[in-house]
Amino acid sequence: MTVGGLSIRVDSGAPVPPFEQIRAQLADLISVGRLREGDRLPPVRQLASDLGLANNTVVRAYRALESAGLVHGRRGSGTRVAASAPGAADGDVRATLAGHARDFAAAARLLGATDEDALAAIRHALATAEAP
């Protein structure tokens, strides 16, 4: 599927759920500036159809992007890239960290890790990370 000339792919055999694959790819395109403020994402039905997925899968990806502040949707006018993406010029560190935490939590769940294992991994990473 192409979004504004950019390719979105879903690997049905991957351990990462399709909605997360869509969310991550679109978030990456926004973070590197390939999708810019005001750019419109494809309508849910169109993207779902093009990728061979259920509408709710795309809705879930778009909602996650909206929760992270990367896009905003309005019934009838579609979903567009937000004016100020977290971690960009506004320096919204908490929102960016929340997005990374969601990604980590999803990966931990896919691995079957317990909450304690996941938290221990984060504590270890923080303890051993070098300051910039």
Side-chain angles (χ1 to χ4, degrees):
M1 165 69 210
T2 301
V3 177
L6 305 168
S7 183
I8 300 291
R9 294 184 187 356
V10 172
D11 178 1
S12 60
V16 178
F19 87 90
E20 177 57 25
Q21 292 179 51
I22 295 167
R23 187 214 57 79
Q25 290 176 63
L26 290 172
D28 287 346
L29 292 171
I30 293 167
S31 71
V32 298
R34 302 280 311 270
L35 286 173
R36 295 187 174 96
E37 175 185 343
D39 284 351
R40 187 171 182 201
L41 300 184
V44 168
R45 287 183 183 152
Q46 176 191 338
L47 185 56
S49 174
D50 290 349
L51 294 173
L53 300 169
N55 289 348
N56 284 341
T57 302
V58 176
V59 167
R60 190 171 175 191
Y62 281 16
R63 282 187 184 152
L65 290 167
E66 194 164 9
S67 292
L70 295 173
V71 302
H72 56 86
R74 187 175 294 173
R75 199 179 231 331
S77 62
T79 303
R80 296 185 180 273
V81 175
S84 172
D90 68 357
D92 190 352
V93 173
R94 288 184 181 178
T96 301
L97 283 173
H100 289 298
R102 277 190 297 278
D103 293 345
F104 177 78
R109 291 286 183 251
L110 287 172
L111 292 170
T114 65
D115 290 356
E116 292 77 25
D117 290 339
L119 291 170
I122 288 291
R123 285 186 192 99
H124 177 73
L126 288 170
T128 59
E130 292 183 26

